[in-house]
């Protein structure tokens, strides 16, 4: 049976689609709505060897995810940066060309891609609520920055503007609090998520925000299953950079990382080294040996990631002075 590869370029309101069948390509443009997406994919429901690929564009993917759960297609969600770096030298772009490139990329590299799996209902709710919370936090930070601008000019209306600004901040803080309560309620409603959250919070430095972020980014530790995978994703693993005998630098972390996760991990590491635990002892010992503080701090971030996976895999809370039973036997 012949294979059909469908590449989708996603935007807020529309989907540009390239359908590749043998060496023929057809192009479509539909609205990014559930009804239109369902209507389009019904034409392929009787073709089991249909492959659907899209870039990860965050919330703009959600309608596609919801519809594709009801079909038996093989679905791939690729990192836009992965696609961009794999294309080599290219000239020009538009949505139709992007859809074609996604289809061609999938046809050539299908074996190296990981199939997409739909999230459980609780995980969907958690992602939506956490995304909305992040938007509110960014908006609050923006309003706080604006307060400084009101003091730069003496126009006579700075007091009223500042008062409006403070009222908006209070309202946003109220919304953030409500969203955080809803996030906790979703986690408590799921026995699996609740257990994992309790295990995560037992690790030094891991607070509620990092706990939520880890659950969201790893898909409840079902999509990212190894500590080094998450450490690379968060940008805390140093890599070599050398070529021949003339180019050789010290190992350093990659620029390609999830910046939001990396920043929260940094705060977690700063919190951990202020508390009485083995991570603080490790930090002080290495600094006393003359190691660079940022290097040691990055190692602490890496250790937090590995401790997180240790408690999840062993289903045991973190123990400060844990001794492996194999050592005693």
């Amino acid at each position: 049976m012949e294979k059909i590869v469908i590449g989708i370029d996603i935007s807020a309101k529309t989907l540009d689609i390239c359908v590749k069948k043998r060496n023929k390509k057809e192009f479509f443009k539909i609205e990014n709505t559930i009804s239109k997406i369902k209507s389009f994919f019904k034409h392929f429901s009787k073709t089991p060897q249909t492959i659907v690929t899209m870039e990860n564009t965050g919330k703009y993917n959600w309608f596609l995810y919801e519809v594709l759960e009801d079909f038996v297609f093989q679905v791939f969600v690729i990192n836009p940066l992965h696609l961009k770096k794999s294309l080599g030298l290219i000239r020009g772009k538009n949505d139709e060309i992007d859809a074609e490139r996604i289809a061609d990329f999938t046809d050539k590299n299908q074996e190296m891609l990981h199939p997409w799996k739909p999230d459980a209902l609780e995980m969907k709710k958690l992602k939506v609520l956490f995304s909305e919370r992040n938007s509110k936090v960014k908006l609050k930070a923006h309003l706080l920055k604006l307060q400084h601008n009101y003091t730069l000019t003496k126009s006579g209306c700075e007091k009223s503007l500042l008062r409006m600004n403070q009222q908006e901040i209070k309202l946003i803080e109220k919304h953030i609090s409500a969203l955080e309560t809803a996030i906790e309620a979703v986690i408590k409603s799921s026995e699996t998520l609740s257990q994992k959250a309790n295990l995560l919070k037992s690790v030094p430095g891991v607070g509620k925000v990092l706990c939520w972020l880890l659950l969201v980014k790893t898909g409840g530790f079902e999509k990212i299953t190894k500590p080094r995978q998450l450490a690379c994703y968060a940008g805390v693993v140093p890599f070599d950079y050398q070529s021949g005998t003339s180019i050789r630098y010290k190992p350093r972390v990659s620029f390609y990382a999830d910046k939001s996760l990396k920043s929260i991990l940094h705060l977690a590491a700063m919190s951990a080294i202020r508390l009485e635990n083995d991570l603080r002892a490790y930090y002080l010992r290495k600094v006393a040996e003359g190691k660079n503080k940022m290097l040691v701090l990055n190692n602490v971030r890496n250790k937090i990631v590995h401790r997180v996976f240790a408690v999840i895999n062993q289903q045991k809370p973190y123990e400060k002075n844990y001794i492996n039973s194999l050592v005693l036997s």
Side-chain angles (χ1 to χ4, degrees):
M1 190 172 290
E2 60 186 351
K3 180 176 71 173
I4 296 177
V5 180
I6 301 176
I8 306 176
D9 183 72
I10 304 171
S11 61
K13 295 183 179 181
T14 60
L15 302 177
D16 284 85
I17 302 173
C18 173
V19 178
K20 186 176 181 181
K21 188 176 181 181
R22 293 181 183 175
N23 293 324
K24 295 182 180 179
K25 296 176 182 177
E26 292 183 88
F27 296 91
F28 305 88
K29 192 181 192 75
I30 64 173
E31 294 178 13
N32 191 359
T33 62
I34 290 178
S35 60
K36 295 295 183 181
I37 295 170
K38 277 185 179 179
S39 177
F40 176 81
F41 281 111
K42 278 181 181 178
H43 300 293
F44 304 93
S45 58
K46 295 182 180 179
T47 310
Q49 286 194 335
T50 299
I51 301 169
V52 181
T53 308
M54 68 196 83
E55 290 182 318
N56 186 358
T57 58
K59 59 186 178 183
Y60 298 143
N61 290 59
W62 288 349
F63 287 156
L64 272 166
Y65 292 160
E66 186 170 342
V67 172
L68 290 172
E69 285 185 26
D70 300 328
F71 292 90
V72 293
F73 306 143
Q74 191 170 20
V75 181
F76 298 106
V77 181
I78 56 178
N79 187 322
L81 185 61
H82 185 183
L83 178 65
K84 181 180 178 180
K85 293 295 181 181
S86 69
L87 293 175
L89 294 174
I90 57 174
R91 290 177 175 84
K93 77 181 291 296
N94 58 46
D95 293 339
E96 187 176 289
I97 291 175
D98 287 343
E100 182 181 10
R101 286 170 177 166
I102 291 171
D104 289 337
F105 173 83
T106 306
D107 198 21
K108 294 177 183 177
N109 303 283
Q110 180 184 345
E111 293 182 358
M112 62 178 284
L113 299 176
H114 299 287
W116 168 81
K117 293 181 181 179
D119 291 317
L121 180 60
E122 292 79 7
M123 184 55 64
K124 288 181 185 178
K125 291 180 180 178
L126 188 61
K127 286 183 176 181
V128 171
L129 291 170
F130 192 77
S131 175
E132 186 63 21
R133 178 194 174 276
N134 280 352
S135 298
K136 299 292 184 184
V137 169
K138 289 177 182 177
L139 183 56
K140 178 186 172 183
H142 174 67
L143 290 171
L144 287 171
K145 286 182 180 179
L146 286 179
Q147 290 184 353
H148 174 68
N149 295 342
Y150 301 145
T151 62
L152 298 179
T153 59
K154 299 298 180 181
S155 60
C157 58
E158 56 270 8
K159 288 186 178 179
S160 61
L161 291 174
L162 181 60
R163 186 162 52 250
M164 290 170 58
N165 179 284
Q166 291 171 342
Q167 289 173 353
E168 287 183 287
I169 289 174
K170 285 182 180 179
L171 181 60
I172 290 173
E173 287 175 342
K174 185 178 179 181
H175 290 167
I176 292 173
S177 178
L179 288 166
E180 290 181 348
T181 302
I183 290 171
E184 286 290 353
V186 170
I187 292 174
K188 288 179 181 178
S189 68
S190 169
E191 184 178 350
T192 303
L193 289 178
S194 180
Q195 183 183 13
K196 288 177 180 179
N198 291 332
L199 291 171
L200 292 174
K201 290 176 182 177
S202 69
V203 178
V206 179
K208 63 179 185 180
V209 177
L210 180 56
C211 171
W212 300 337
L213 188 57
L214 288 171
L215 289 173
V216 167
K217 295 295 183 181
T218 63
F221 292 88
E222 294 180 3
K223 293 184 178 179
I224 297 180
T225 57
K226 296 179 181 179
R228 186 169 177 83
Q229 282 181 313
L230 183 61
C232 290
Y233 181 73
V236 299
V237 176
F239 291 92
D240 290 332
Y241 189 85
Q242 65 90 20
S243 179
T245 58
S246 59
I247 300 176
R248 187 178 296 273
Y249 295 101
K250 291 181 179 179
R252 55 190 179 187
V253 296
S254 172
F255 175 79
Y256 305 118
D258 187 302
K259 301 300 189 297
S260 62
L261 179 56
K262 187 173 183 178
S263 63
I264 299 297
L265 265 176
H266 178 76
L267 295 176
M270 293 294 292
S271 174
I273 63 175
R274 293 190 183 102
L275 304 172
E276 290 299 327
N277 56 70
D278 55 341
L279 291 177
R280 174 179 170 82
Y282 167 82
Y283 176 81
L284 294 176
R285 184 176 74 253
K286 290 298 180 182
V287 171
E289 291 174 3
K291 300 290 185 181
N292 181 280
K293 288 185 178 180
M294 284 305 299
L295 170 66
V296 181
L297 199 58
N298 187 69
N299 291 345
V300 172
R301 292 185 293 203
N302 207 333
K303 286 178 178 292
I304 289 175
V305 170
H306 281 75
R307 279 159 171 72
V308 159
F309 272 88
V311 298
I312 293 294
N313 292 335
Q314 297 180 19
Q315 292 294 293
K316 292 181 180 178
Y318 178 79
E319 297 178 22
K320 182 177 178 181
N321 298 313
Y322 174 75
I323 300 177
N324 196 319
S325 58
L326 294 176
V327 176
L328 301 176
S329 61

